[in-house]
Amino acid sequence: MERKRCAAALAVAATAVVTLSQPATAAPSDAAAPGAAEVTNQYIVKFKDGADRADVLRRLGTRFGARLSDARQLGTGARLIRADRNAAGLLQALAASDRVEYAEPDVMLHALSVPNDPEYPAQWHYSEPAGGINGPGAWDVTKGSGVVVAVIDTGRTAHPDLDANTVAGYDFISSASNARDGNGRDSNPQDEGDWNATAGECGPGSEAGDSSWHGTHVAGTIAAVSDNGVGVAGVAPQAKVQHARVLGKCGGALSDITDAIVWASGGSVSGVPANATPARVINMSLGGSGRCTRAYQSAITAAVRRGTTVVVASGNSNADGSGYNPGNCNNVVSVSSLNRAGNRAFYSNFGSTVDIAAPGGEVRRATDAPGTRTTPQDGVLSTLNAGTTTPAGPAYKTYMGTSMAAPHVAGVAALLLSHTPGLTPAQAEAALKDTARPIPGSCPEGCGAGLVDAAAAVR
Ligand SMILES: [Ca+2]
Ligand SMILES: [Ca+2]
Ligand SMILES: [Ca+2]
């Protein structure tokens, strides 16, 4: 959140943590593009004016032991030539003929996988050439099947675009008052709401505000159910989301977050049943100012050793990311945020600790007053809940933040690991960076290796 409660929580450094989004609704973009090619026994041949086509085909047919037929004239003036068998070298010979202008293979083209979800066209962050992650090019190869992504965040809410892709998680919030579910840790990670009825509730400078449903938004970017004719699409729509609830009213304790990291990655935490479906990827769209503490690093290192890739938001302070955890911890993939044009979003952290960039959007311009939504269509559209305090019905909304950028990378990591399951976290990180494309806009301060590219990552 961008409100003052964010600043307050940051001031108490590592003990409390806040989410890294800035509340923000939807606009059009385009989707379809041509796809991969398949060979056929057909050729598109443009003969030179006056050339004896039949003679060319007869001679080459004899030479290659194939029967060549002149099927029809094409709109371009070229002819469609059909061979009765796949003859190696035939195309080259056609092209080399002094009576042929050009000869090219006829190929089968397929539309790239584009989801039918009605709000998909508003998700510019998946497909727009400038600031999108090139999602459609990846979805023909993999949709993330077999990979669990843990969302260490505010927990889950029931949602038609998420329920089918959600596996059992856990509620790690030890404080019953912050958890708002009447107890400490328990097996139900439902997000009970993180609203603040009055200013100052979470310390000096904290403001009143509605519930964010932050974990629901992050989860939707990673793995919203696609092609169900409902709502939005996700980056890895066949991956599963596992909610480890750590953020409640006023944020979350590091001690709860580190336990969630251990558990999500398959490690054991006293008093908590073993995780039946450990995550290959962890997303942490949360953070605070200050160094990476030993406790934090130790939990992350253990997760990475267990083979879990840890993706984190770099922070929303428009500052060097080296001063913000967990982006400044070792062995994490720290993500900066770009706007729709591919420039560094005005709030995004930057610098040498940032590994990679992803779309996080801007629902207002840098010069607009905080809390306004002058450009809601330029934010990241995902799943949400309609409740202002406690959970109500499902909803969709655009948010902006490095919180929204990180789950794009976590989703692409899931696609990558689904396609190449044997990758270590270091290999997965290297692959994400190596296949990122140059930052489309401007980020002189350093936004990492480039803009994450889903299609390039899985090809
Ligand atoms: Ca609880
Ligand atoms: Ca609970
Ligand atoms: Ca959907």
Side-chain angles (χ1 to χ4, degrees):
M1 315 276 102
E2 190 187 21
R3 304 175 296 234
K4 261 198 221 124
R5 74 192 247 213
C6 170
L10 291 172
V12 293
T15 53
V17 170
V18 293
T19 56
L20 297 178
S21 71
Q22 312 200 336
T25 304
S29 78
D30 61 357
E38 256 169 46
V39 179
T40 66
N41 290 342
Q42 297 190 144
Y43 307 95
I44 297 169
V45 181
K46 178 76 163 66
F47 292 88
K48 288 182 180 165
D49 288 347
D52 184 344
R53 303 195 302 267
D55 185 60
V56 173
L57 298 181
R58 199 165 42 239
R59 285 165 183 269
L60 287 173
T62 304
R63 184 172 147 200
F64 286 90
R67 202 153 54 82
L68 304 183
S69 51
D70 190 348
R72 67 173 189 270
Q73 170 132 342
L74 302 171
T76 56
R79 310 286 304 186
L80 182 67
I81 305 302
R82 221 169 256 151
D84 66 346
R85 53 178 286 269
N86 184 6
L90 173 60
L91 175 65
Q92 288 75 11
L94 272 167
S97 166
D98 59 6
R99 288 180 284 179
V100 167
E101 215 172 289
Y102 64 82
E104 294 169 344
D106 194 11
V107 294
M108 294 300 293
L109 297 169
H110 305 281
L112 290 181
S113 179
V114 171
N116 66 12
D117 310 77
E119 300 299 327
Y120 173 75
Q123 294 181 292
W124 57 267
H125 35 101
Y126 294 163
S127 64
E128 262 187 8
I133 64 163
N134 213 354
W139 297 327
D140 288 327
V141 178
T142 175
K143 291 180 176 169
S145 175
V147 177
V148 175
V149 181
V151 174
I152 299 183
D153 212 294
T154 62
R156 77 175 287 253
T157 56
H159 199 292
D161 251 349
L162 286 170
D163 294 348
N165 278 354
T166 304
V167 297
Y170 205 78
D171 180 358
F172 283 91
I173 302 179
S174 300
S175 158
S177 62
N178 281 2
R180 283 180 160 144
D181 61 356
N183 57 30
R185 292 183 175 180
D186 69 89
S187 62
N188 182 0
Q190 169 159 293
D191 187 340
E192 310 289 350
D194 58 358
W195 80 95
N196 287 117
T198 58
E201 227 171 56
C202 293
S206 77
E207 293 186 349
D210 294 341
S211 289
S212 69
W213 314 113
H214 192 269
T216 299
H217 200 280
V218 167
T221 300
I222 295 168
V225 179
S226 300
D227 282 319
N228 61 342
V230 173
V232 295
V235 173
Q238 289 176 358
K240 300 292 185 195
V241 163
Q242 177 171 64
H243 286 279
R245 184 181 182 227
V246 297
L247 302 174
K249 176 189 172 191
C250 303
L254 180 61
S255 51
D256 288 338
I257 292 169
T258 51
D259 275 357
I261 294 169
V262 170
W263 181 84
S265 58
S268 58
V269 174
S270 175
V272 180
N275 183 351
T277 55
R280 291 296 313 272
V281 182
I282 285 175
N283 186 91
M284 291 202 286
S285 288
L286 49 78
S289 63
R291 68 193 176 92
C292 178
T293 61
R294 289 178 65 176
Y296 224 148
Q297 188 62 62
S298 146
I300 290 167
T301 300
V304 168
R305 284 200 182 128
R306 282 189 283 269
T308 303
T309 297
V310 180
V311 178
V312 307
S314 66
N316 295 339
S317 300
N318 183 24
D320 195 297
S322 60
Y324 297 82
N325 62 62
N328 57 2
C329 297
N330 294 321
N331 296 321
V332 296
V333 182
S334 176
V335 184
S336 63
S337 170
L338 304 183
N339 65 18
R340 191 166 179 171
N343 301 304
R344 180 172 71 85
F346 66 82
Y347 52 81
S348 179
N349 284 352
F350 48 78
S352 61
T353 56
V354 173
D355 294 298
I356 199 166
E362 287 178 343
V363 300
R364 64 174 173 86
R365 294 160 303 199
T367 50
D368 296 328
T372 57
R373 287 173 58 87
T374 51
T375 55
Q377 72 279 7
D378 293 343
V380 169
L381 180 63
S382 186
T383 45
L384 210 73
N385 188 275
T388 54
T389 57
T390 55
Y396 300 91
K397 193 175 182 178
T398 52
Y399 274 3
M400 67 177 176
T402 52
S403 276
M404 284 63 245
H408 282 86
V409 174
V412 175
L415 295 175
L416 180 62
L417 289 163
S418 173
H419 186 245
T420 316
L423 295 177
T424 65
Q427 290 169 331
E429 179 175 354
L432 291 169
K433 288 176 169 175
D434 290 348
T435 58
R437 62 182 200 266
I439 302 286
S442 165
C443 181
E445 309 87 353
C447 283
L451 170 57
V452 70
D453 190 301
V458 301
R459 284 177 192 271

